[in-house]
Short mmCIF file of all heavy atoms in Angstrom, two decimals:
data_model
loop_
_atom_site.label_atom_id
_atom_site.label_comp_id
_atom_site.label_asym_id
_atom_site.label_seq_id
_atom_site.Cartn_x
_atom_site.Cartn_y
_atom_site.Cartn_z
N LEU A 1470 -21.14 6.78 -41.89
CA LEU A 1470 -22.34 7.59 -41.69
C LEU A 1470 -23.56 6.67 -41.72
O LEU A 1470 -23.64 5.76 -42.55
CB LEU A 1470 -22.47 8.65 -42.77
CG LEU A 1470 -21.32 9.65 -42.91
CD1 LEU A 1470 -21.59 10.61 -44.06
CD2 LEU A 1470 -21.12 10.41 -41.62
N TYR A 1471 -24.50 6.92 -40.82
CA TYR A 1471 -25.73 6.13 -40.77
C TYR A 1471 -26.93 7.07 -40.79
O TYR A 1471 -26.98 8.04 -40.02
CB TYR A 1471 -25.79 5.28 -39.50
CG TYR A 1471 -24.71 4.24 -39.39
CD1 TYR A 1471 -23.52 4.51 -38.71
CD2 TYR A 1471 -24.88 2.97 -39.94
CE1 TYR A 1471 -22.52 3.55 -38.59
CE2 TYR A 1471 -23.89 2.01 -39.84
CZ TYR A 1471 -22.71 2.30 -39.16
OH TYR A 1471 -21.73 1.35 -39.06
N TYR A 1472 -27.87 6.78 -41.67
CA TYR A 1472 -29.13 7.52 -41.66
C TYR A 1472 -30.12 6.72 -40.83
O TYR A 1472 -30.47 5.58 -41.16
CB TYR A 1472 -29.67 7.72 -43.07
CG TYR A 1472 -31.01 8.43 -43.08
CD1 TYR A 1472 -31.09 9.79 -42.80
CD2 TYR A 1472 -32.18 7.73 -43.33
CE1 TYR A 1472 -32.31 10.44 -42.78
CE2 TYR A 1472 -33.41 8.36 -43.32
CZ TYR A 1472 -33.47 9.73 -43.03
OH TYR A 1472 -34.69 10.37 -43.00
N CYS A 1473 -30.56 7.29 -39.70
CA CYS A 1473 -31.41 6.56 -38.76
C CYS A 1473 -32.88 6.92 -38.87
O CYS A 1473 -33.72 6.25 -38.26
CB CYS A 1473 -30.93 6.81 -37.32
SG CYS A 1473 -29.23 6.28 -37.03
N GLY A 1474 -33.22 7.98 -39.58
CA GLY A 1474 -34.61 8.37 -39.72
C GLY A 1474 -34.78 9.86 -39.48
O GLY A 1474 -33.86 10.66 -39.70
N GLY A 1475 -35.97 10.23 -39.00
CA GLY A 1475 -36.30 11.63 -38.79
C GLY A 1475 -35.58 12.26 -37.62
O GLY A 1475 -34.73 11.62 -36.97
N PRO A 1476 -35.90 13.52 -37.32
CA PRO A 1476 -35.23 14.26 -36.24
C PRO A 1476 -35.29 13.49 -34.91
O PRO A 1476 -36.35 13.01 -34.51
CB PRO A 1476 -36.03 15.56 -36.16
CG PRO A 1476 -36.60 15.74 -37.53
CD PRO A 1476 -36.91 14.35 -38.00
N GLY A 1477 -34.13 13.36 -34.27
CA GLY A 1477 -34.06 12.72 -32.96
C GLY A 1477 -33.68 11.26 -32.98
O GLY A 1477 -33.20 10.72 -31.97
N THR A 1478 -33.84 10.59 -34.12
CA THR A 1478 -33.52 9.16 -34.16
C THR A 1478 -32.01 8.91 -34.08
O THR A 1478 -31.57 7.92 -33.49
CB THR A 1478 -34.09 8.50 -35.43
OG1 THR A 1478 -33.65 9.24 -36.58
CG2 THR A 1478 -35.60 8.47 -35.40
N GLY A 1479 -31.24 9.79 -34.68
CA GLY A 1479 -29.78 9.66 -34.59
C GLY A 1479 -29.31 9.80 -33.15
O GLY A 1479 -28.40 9.08 -32.71
N LEU A 1480 -29.93 10.72 -32.42
CA LEU A 1480 -29.58 10.90 -31.01
C LEU A 1480 -29.89 9.63 -30.22
O LEU A 1480 -29.08 9.20 -29.40
CB LEU A 1480 -30.37 12.08 -30.43
CG LEU A 1480 -30.26 12.26 -28.90
CD1 LEU A 1480 -28.82 12.53 -28.49
CD2 LEU A 1480 -31.17 13.40 -28.44
N HIS A 1481 -31.05 9.02 -30.50
CA HIS A 1481 -31.40 7.80 -29.78
C HIS A 1481 -30.44 6.66 -30.11
O HIS A 1481 -30.11 5.84 -29.25
CB HIS A 1481 -32.84 7.39 -30.10
CG HIS A 1481 -33.85 8.13 -29.29
ND1 HIS A 1481 -34.39 9.33 -29.71
CD2 HIS A 1481 -34.42 7.87 -28.08
CE1 HIS A 1481 -35.24 9.77 -28.80
NE2 HIS A 1481 -35.28 8.90 -27.81
N ALA A 1482 -29.96 6.61 -31.35
CA ALA A 1482 -28.99 5.59 -31.74
C ALA A 1482 -27.68 5.80 -30.98
O ALA A 1482 -27.07 4.84 -30.48
CB ALA A 1482 -28.74 5.63 -33.24
N LYS A 1483 -27.27 7.06 -30.87
CA LYS A 1483 -26.03 7.37 -30.15
C LYS A 1483 -26.16 7.03 -28.68
O LYS A 1483 -25.26 6.46 -28.05
CB LYS A 1483 -25.71 8.85 -30.35
CG LYS A 1483 -24.37 9.28 -29.75
CD LYS A 1483 -24.55 10.09 -28.50
CE LYS A 1483 -23.22 10.70 -28.05
NZ LYS A 1483 -23.36 11.42 -26.77
N LEU A 1484 -27.29 7.35 -28.08
CA LEU A 1484 -27.51 7.04 -26.66
C LEU A 1484 -27.57 5.54 -26.43
O LEU A 1484 -27.08 5.04 -25.42
CB LEU A 1484 -28.80 7.70 -26.18
CG LEU A 1484 -28.79 9.23 -26.08
CD1 LEU A 1484 -30.16 9.74 -25.63
CD2 LEU A 1484 -27.70 9.72 -25.13
N THR A 1485 -28.15 4.80 -27.37
CA THR A 1485 -28.21 3.35 -27.24
C THR A 1485 -26.81 2.75 -27.27
O THR A 1485 -26.49 1.83 -26.50
CB THR A 1485 -29.06 2.75 -28.38
OG1 THR A 1485 -30.39 3.22 -28.26
CG2 THR A 1485 -29.06 1.22 -28.31
N GLN A 1486 -25.95 3.27 -28.14
CA GLN A 1486 -24.57 2.79 -28.18
C GLN A 1486 -23.89 3.01 -26.83
O GLN A 1486 -23.23 2.11 -26.30
CB GLN A 1486 -23.79 3.54 -29.26
CG GLN A 1486 -22.29 3.26 -29.23
CD GLN A 1486 -21.51 4.23 -30.08
OE1 GLN A 1486 -21.57 4.14 -31.30
NE2 GLN A 1486 -20.80 5.16 -29.45
N ASN A 1487 -24.06 4.20 -26.25
CA ASN A 1487 -23.42 4.49 -24.97
C ASN A 1487 -24.07 3.73 -23.82
O ASN A 1487 -23.42 3.43 -22.82
CB ASN A 1487 -23.44 5.99 -24.69
CG ASN A 1487 -22.34 6.71 -25.45
OD1 ASN A 1487 -21.53 6.08 -26.13
ND2 ASN A 1487 -22.29 8.03 -25.34
N LEU A 1488 -25.37 3.42 -23.94
CA LEU A 1488 -26.04 2.59 -22.94
C LEU A 1488 -25.36 1.22 -22.87
O LEU A 1488 -25.01 0.73 -21.79
CB LEU A 1488 -27.52 2.44 -23.28
CG LEU A 1488 -28.41 1.59 -22.35
CD1 LEU A 1488 -29.85 2.10 -22.39
CD2 LEU A 1488 -28.40 0.12 -22.76
N VAL A 1489 -25.19 0.60 -24.04
CA VAL A 1489 -24.56 -0.72 -24.08
C VAL A 1489 -23.11 -0.63 -23.59
O VAL A 1489 -22.64 -1.45 -22.80
CB VAL A 1489 -24.62 -1.28 -25.52
CG1 VAL A 1489 -23.82 -2.58 -25.62
CG2 VAL A 1489 -26.06 -1.52 -25.93
N LEU A 1490 -22.39 0.39 -24.05
CA LEU A 1490 -20.98 0.56 -23.69
C LEU A 1490 -20.81 0.71 -22.18
O LEU A 1490 -19.96 0.05 -21.56
CB LEU A 1490 -20.42 1.77 -24.43
CG LEU A 1490 -18.94 2.10 -24.30
CD1 LEU A 1490 -18.47 2.82 -25.56
CD2 LEU A 1490 -18.65 2.98 -23.08
N SER A 1491 -21.60 1.57 -21.55
CA SER A 1491 -21.44 1.84 -20.12
C SER A 1491 -21.80 0.61 -19.29
O SER A 1491 -21.15 0.33 -18.27
CB SER A 1491 -22.30 3.03 -19.69
OG SER A 1491 -23.68 2.80 -19.95
N ASN A 1492 -22.79 -0.17 -19.73
CA ASN A 1492 -23.16 -1.37 -18.98
C ASN A 1492 -22.13 -2.48 -19.15
O ASN A 1492 -21.86 -3.24 -18.21
CB ASN A 1492 -24.54 -1.86 -19.42
CG ASN A 1492 -25.66 -0.98 -18.89
OD1 ASN A 1492 -25.57 -0.45 -17.79
ND2 ASN A 1492 -26.72 -0.81 -19.66
N ILE A 1493 -21.54 -2.58 -20.34
CA ILE A 1493 -20.45 -3.56 -20.53
C ILE A 1493 -19.28 -3.21 -19.63
O ILE A 1493 -18.68 -4.09 -18.99
CB ILE A 1493 -20.00 -3.58 -22.01
CG1 ILE A 1493 -21.06 -4.25 -22.88
CG2 ILE A 1493 -18.66 -4.31 -22.16
CD1 ILE A 1493 -20.74 -4.19 -24.36
N LEU A 1494 -18.94 -1.93 -19.55
CA LEU A 1494 -17.83 -1.51 -18.71
C LEU A 1494 -18.10 -1.84 -17.24
O LEU A 1494 -17.22 -2.33 -16.53
CB LEU A 1494 -17.58 -0.02 -18.87
CG LEU A 1494 -16.41 0.57 -18.07
CD1 LEU A 1494 -15.09 -0.09 -18.46
CD2 LEU A 1494 -16.34 2.08 -18.25
N GLN A 1495 -19.32 -1.59 -16.78
CA GLN A 1495 -19.67 -1.88 -15.40
C GLN A 1495 -19.60 -3.38 -15.14
O GLN A 1495 -19.14 -3.83 -14.07
CB GLN A 1495 -21.06 -1.34 -15.08
CG GLN A 1495 -21.56 -1.66 -13.67
CD GLN A 1495 -20.66 -1.09 -12.58
OE1 GLN A 1495 -19.91 -0.14 -12.81
NE2 GLN A 1495 -20.73 -1.67 -11.40
N ALA A 1496 -20.05 -4.19 -16.10
CA ALA A 1496 -19.98 -5.64 -15.94
C ALA A 1496 -18.52 -6.10 -15.83
O ALA A 1496 -18.19 -6.97 -15.01
CB ALA A 1496 -20.67 -6.33 -17.12
N PHE A 1497 -17.65 -5.50 -16.65
CA PHE A 1497 -16.23 -5.86 -16.57
C PHE A 1497 -15.65 -5.45 -15.23
O PHE A 1497 -14.89 -6.21 -14.62
CB PHE A 1497 -15.45 -5.19 -17.71
CG PHE A 1497 -13.96 -5.39 -17.59
CD1 PHE A 1497 -13.39 -6.61 -17.90
CD2 PHE A 1497 -13.13 -4.36 -17.14
CE1 PHE A 1497 -12.01 -6.81 -17.78
CE2 PHE A 1497 -11.77 -4.54 -17.01
CZ PHE A 1497 -11.20 -5.78 -17.34
N ASN A 1498 -15.98 -4.24 -14.76
CA ASN A 1498 -15.48 -3.79 -13.46
C ASN A 1498 -15.82 -4.80 -12.37
O ASN A 1498 -14.96 -5.19 -11.56
CB ASN A 1498 -16.08 -2.43 -13.10
CG ASN A 1498 -15.54 -1.29 -13.96
OD1 ASN A 1498 -14.55 -1.46 -14.67
ND2 ASN A 1498 -16.19 -0.15 -13.91
N GLU A 1499 -17.07 -5.22 -12.33
CA GLU A 1499 -17.50 -6.17 -11.32
C GLU A 1499 -16.78 -7.51 -11.47
O GLU A 1499 -16.30 -8.09 -10.49
CB GLU A 1499 -19.01 -6.38 -11.40
CG GLU A 1499 -19.83 -5.15 -11.04
CD GLU A 1499 -21.32 -5.39 -11.13
OE1 GLU A 1499 -21.73 -6.58 -11.20
OE2 GLU A 1499 -22.08 -4.41 -11.13
N GLY A 1500 -16.70 -7.99 -12.71
CA GLY A 1500 -16.09 -9.29 -12.95
C GLY A 1500 -14.62 -9.32 -12.63
O GLY A 1500 -14.13 -10.27 -11.99
N ILE A 1501 -13.86 -8.30 -13.04
CA ILE A 1501 -12.41 -8.33 -12.84
C ILE A 1501 -12.06 -8.13 -11.37
O ILE A 1501 -11.10 -8.71 -10.86
CB ILE A 1501 -11.70 -7.30 -13.74
CG1 ILE A 1501 -10.23 -7.69 -13.95
CG2 ILE A 1501 -11.79 -5.90 -13.17
CD1 ILE A 1501 -10.05 -8.93 -14.78
N VAL A 1502 -12.83 -7.30 -10.64
CA VAL A 1502 -12.59 -7.16 -9.20
C VAL A 1502 -12.89 -8.47 -8.49
O VAL A 1502 -12.14 -8.91 -7.62
CB VAL A 1502 -13.43 -6.00 -8.62
CG1 VAL A 1502 -13.38 -6.01 -7.09
CG2 VAL A 1502 -12.92 -4.66 -9.14
N LEU A 1503 -13.99 -9.12 -8.86
CA LEU A 1503 -14.37 -10.39 -8.24
C LEU A 1503 -13.33 -11.47 -8.52
O LEU A 1503 -12.86 -12.16 -7.60
CB LEU A 1503 -15.74 -10.84 -8.76
CG LEU A 1503 -16.23 -12.22 -8.32
CD1 LEU A 1503 -16.40 -12.26 -6.81
CD2 LEU A 1503 -17.54 -12.57 -9.01
N SER A 1504 -12.93 -11.63 -9.79
CA SER A 1504 -11.99 -12.70 -10.13
C SER A 1504 -10.61 -12.45 -9.52
O SER A 1504 -9.95 -13.39 -9.07
CB SER A 1504 -11.87 -12.84 -11.66
OG SER A 1504 -11.38 -11.65 -12.25
N THR A 1505 -10.19 -11.19 -9.49
CA THR A 1505 -8.88 -10.88 -8.90
C THR A 1505 -8.88 -11.15 -7.41
O THR A 1505 -7.93 -11.71 -6.87
CB THR A 1505 -8.51 -9.41 -9.18
OG1 THR A 1505 -8.51 -9.18 -10.59
CG2 THR A 1505 -7.13 -9.08 -8.62
N LYS A 1506 -9.96 -10.77 -6.75
CA LYS A 1506 -10.06 -11.02 -5.31
C LYS A 1506 -10.08 -12.51 -5.01
O LYS A 1506 -9.62 -12.97 -3.97
CB LYS A 1506 -11.30 -10.34 -4.74
CG LYS A 1506 -11.28 -10.18 -3.22
CD LYS A 1506 -12.40 -9.28 -2.76
CE LYS A 1506 -12.38 -9.12 -1.23
NZ LYS A 1506 -11.21 -8.39 -0.75
N ALA A 1507 -10.60 -13.30 -5.96
CA ALA A 1507 -10.65 -14.76 -5.80
C ALA A 1507 -9.31 -15.42 -6.14
O ALA A 1507 -9.14 -16.62 -5.92
CB ALA A 1507 -11.75 -15.34 -6.68
N GLY A 1508 -8.36 -14.63 -6.70
CA GLY A 1508 -7.04 -15.17 -6.97
C GLY A 1508 -6.71 -15.41 -8.42
O GLY A 1508 -5.63 -15.92 -8.74
N VAL A 1509 -7.61 -15.04 -9.36
CA VAL A 1509 -7.33 -15.23 -10.78
C VAL A 1509 -6.52 -14.03 -11.29
O VAL A 1509 -6.98 -12.89 -11.14
CB VAL A 1509 -8.63 -15.35 -11.60
CG1 VAL A 1509 -8.31 -15.57 -13.07
CG2 VAL A 1509 -9.50 -16.48 -11.06
N PRO A 1510 -5.34 -14.22 -11.86
CA PRO A 1510 -4.56 -13.09 -12.38
C PRO A 1510 -5.37 -12.30 -13.41
O PRO A 1510 -5.97 -12.89 -14.32
CB PRO A 1510 -3.35 -13.77 -13.03
CG PRO A 1510 -3.21 -15.07 -12.30
CD PRO A 1510 -4.62 -15.50 -12.01
N PRO A 1511 -5.42 -10.98 -13.29
CA PRO A 1511 -6.22 -10.17 -14.21
C PRO A 1511 -5.89 -10.37 -15.68
O PRO A 1511 -6.80 -10.41 -16.53
CB PRO A 1511 -5.92 -8.74 -13.76
CG PRO A 1511 -5.58 -8.87 -12.31
CD PRO A 1511 -4.84 -10.17 -12.21
N ALA A 1512 -4.60 -10.48 -16.01
CA ALA A 1512 -4.22 -10.68 -17.41
C ALA A 1512 -4.75 -12.00 -17.94
O ALA A 1512 -5.18 -12.10 -19.10
CB ALA A 1512 -2.70 -10.62 -17.56
N LEU A 1513 -4.74 -13.03 -17.10
CA LEU A 1513 -5.29 -14.32 -17.49
C LEU A 1513 -6.80 -14.22 -17.70
O LEU A 1513 -7.34 -14.75 -18.67
CB LEU A 1513 -4.98 -15.37 -16.43
CG LEU A 1513 -5.64 -16.74 -16.61
CD1 LEU A 1513 -5.19 -17.38 -17.92
CD2 LEU A 1513 -5.31 -17.65 -15.42
N MET A 1514 -7.48 -13.50 -16.79
CA MET A 1514 -8.93 -13.35 -16.91
C MET A 1514 -9.29 -12.61 -18.20
O MET A 1514 -10.25 -12.96 -18.88
CB MET A 1514 -9.46 -12.60 -15.69
CG MET A 1514 -10.98 -12.61 -15.57
SD MET A 1514 -11.65 -14.25 -15.20
CE MET A 1514 -12.61 -14.57 -16.68
N LEU A 1515 -8.50 -11.60 -18.54
CA LEU A 1515 -8.75 -10.86 -19.78
C LEU A 1515 -8.58 -11.76 -20.99
O LEU A 1515 -9.37 -11.71 -21.94
CB LEU A 1515 -7.80 -9.66 -19.88
CG LEU A 1515 -7.90 -8.84 -21.17
CD1 LEU A 1515 -9.30 -8.24 -21.33
CD2 LEU A 1515 -6.84 -7.73 -21.18
#
Side-chain angles (χ1 to χ4, degrees):
L1470 301 178
Y1471 296 94
Y1472 177 74
C1473 300
T1478 53
L1480 172 62
H1481 279 89
K1483 185 254 189 184
L1484 291 178
T1485 297
Q1486 171 193 286
N1487 280 357
L1488 179 151
V1489 174
L1490 184 152
S1491 59
N1492 286 326
I1493 288 175
L1494 181 61
Q1495 177 60 22
F1497 173 75
N1498 289 348
E1499 294 180 14
I1501 203 68
V1502 170
L1503 175 63
S1504 62
T1505 303
K1506 197 169 180 67
V1509 181
L1513 173 61
M1514 191 68 244
L1515 177 61

